[in-house]
Amino acid sequence: MKKLYLNTGNMNTIFNDLKGSLGGSLILESSQYKLKTRTKNADGMLSGITVSPNISFVEFDIVFYKDTQLSLESDEGSNVLFVYCSKGNLVHSFGIGGERKTIKPNQNGVIRNTSGINSVFYFEGFKPVRFAILSCNTKAAQKDLFSALNKVFPGNAGNYIRIGRQNFKIAQKINEFSTIPQRGIVRNLLRNRILEDILEIELDQHTYGYMKDIKPIKALMNKQLEELKKVPVLNFSLAEAGQTSRNYLLKMFREKYHLVFNRSFNQKLVS
């Protein structure tokens, strides 16, 4: 049994730990970590990115060469995990001795761990698996979106996992996230918007109506996103710019697009 352990540190620490456990080559490309491994332990690709202080996203497309446990350090309730499986089976339990539940292809799971017990995922050897985890930190969140998620998936309800059929719109959004052609600041803004879209879809399907209150705003944002996608000339990254340039570019985009990427929802949310 191969055992992997991930702490709740930053993405750099997580992927360097994975490289140490699995081997392979690790690169940082457009703020996204990519670990390509083809060793005695596994064969596949792992990627991960933090797009804001509240949102991180990791993808696994891999086959392990022996039964494997992936243990995620508990954050004691800060994060809500949205898990999307597209190939193979993803088995989860709270702690090694906890009840095991299976997320199958085209299913998703919502996980909230409010204890000090780690979340553990299990993988069978020689069976390909592809899944994604969207992590949303709702602790001290300022945006209404995250506050609403914290109400719908409360941290005082004990450890829980909800498994259901994956929303087709979310599957489309995940594919869109992986195929963004733009680079630099436009790419980063689009990534953030797509992941927030997924969170809004999750919120809507668990509250039966959140989205109807913000449809006018969504229509405007979608129109502006299409405008952003038509800007191929911004082929640069913020990492390559100086601090003054970064601040100016961010200010320019936020003003031009009316803060659609850092907006507050003033509409009434489901209480």
Side-chain angles (χ1 to χ4, degrees), residues 64 66-70 89-90 121-125 129 131:
F64 294 103
K66 59 175 64 176
D67 290 351
T68 299
Q69 290 179 3
L70 175 63
N89 290 327
L90 191 60
F121 293 95
Y122 305 86
F123 309 94
E124 291 186 62
V129 63
F131 66 96

Side-chain angles (χ1 to χ4, degrees), residues 25 32 49 51 69 74 130 195 200 207 216 238 240 263:
S25 59
Q32 185 176 39
I49 187 171
V51 299
Q69 290 179 3
S74 170
R130 183 167 62 241
L195 295 182
E200 288 166 0
T207 57
L238 289 176
E240 297 167 351
R263 69 206 183 288

Side-chain angles (χ1 to χ4, degrees), residues 55-258:
I55 303 175
S56 297
F57 186 68
V58 295
E59 293 180 281
F60 284 65
D61 188 358
I62 195 168
V63 54
F64 294 103
Y65 290 144
K66 59 175 64 176
D67 290 351
T68 299
Q69 290 179 3
L70 175 63
S71 181
L72 302 183
E73 182 181 19
S74 170
D75 56 26
E76 297 191 11
S78 296
N79 290 353
V80 182
L81 302 182
F82 299 92
V83 184
Y84 307 101
C85 182
S86 55
K87 179 190 287 187
N89 290 327
L90 191 60
V91 180
H92 172 271
S93 70
F94 292 107
I96 298 297
E99 179 185 1
R100 298 189 182 188
K101 295 187 177 181
T102 302
I103 305 173
K104 299 179 180 180
N106 300 316
Q107 287 187 329
N108 77 298
V110 182
I111 301 171
R112 188 140 201 189
N113 187 350
T114 59
S115 69
I117 301 173
N118 288 1
S119 276
V120 184
F121 293 95
Y122 305 86
F123 309 94
E124 291 186 62
F126 297 95
K127 291 190 176 182
V129 63
R130 183 167 62 241
F131 66 96
I133 299 177
L134 174 55
S135 176
C136 174
N137 189 325
T138 62
K139 187 176 182 179
Q142 299 300 313
K143 282 190 177 183
D144 288 339
L145 170 61
F146 303 121
S147 297
L149 285 166
N150 195 43
K151 290 180 181 179
V152 175
F153 308 105
N156 58 1
N159 296 340
Y160 62 83
I161 175 171
R162 304 177 186 176
I163 297 175
R165 186 170 182 81
Q166 188 176 146
N167 188 303
F168 177 69
K169 292 181 180 179
I170 291 179
Q172 287 183 315
K173 288 292 181 181
I174 291 175
N175 181 66
E176 184 180 349
F177 182 91
S178 303
T179 56
I180 297 173
Q182 288 80 7
R183 298 179 64 82
I185 188 172
V186 176
R187 185 183 185 90
N188 292 335
L189 290 172
L190 289 172
R191 281 171 167 170
N192 187 73
R193 182 61 253 162
I194 289 169
L195 295 182
E196 285 196 2
D197 280 345
I198 293 175
L199 292 175
E200 288 166 0
I201 294 170
E202 288 284 6
L203 187 57
D204 186 54
Q205 67 184 6
H206 286 91
T207 57
Y208 310 104
Y210 168 84
M211 290 298 292
K212 74 176 185 300
D213 292 327
I214 63 169
K215 269 189 175 181
I217 297 176
K218 288 286 292 178
L220 175 60
M221 289 189 297
N222 289 336
K223 180 179 179 180
Q224 293 172 340
L225 281 174
E226 292 306 314
E227 292 179 16
L228 275 177
K229 292 176 182 179
K230 296 175 183 177
V231 188
V233 294
L234 292 175
N235 190 15
F236 54 82
S237 69
L238 289 176
E240 297 167 351
Q243 185 63 43
T244 301
S245 299
R246 288 199 294 270
N247 292 340
Y248 170 76
L249 288 168
L250 286 171
K251 180 180 179 182
M252 178 187 70
F253 273 95
R254 287 170 181 168
E255 288 179 354
K256 180 174 177 58
Y257 295 102
H258 307 289

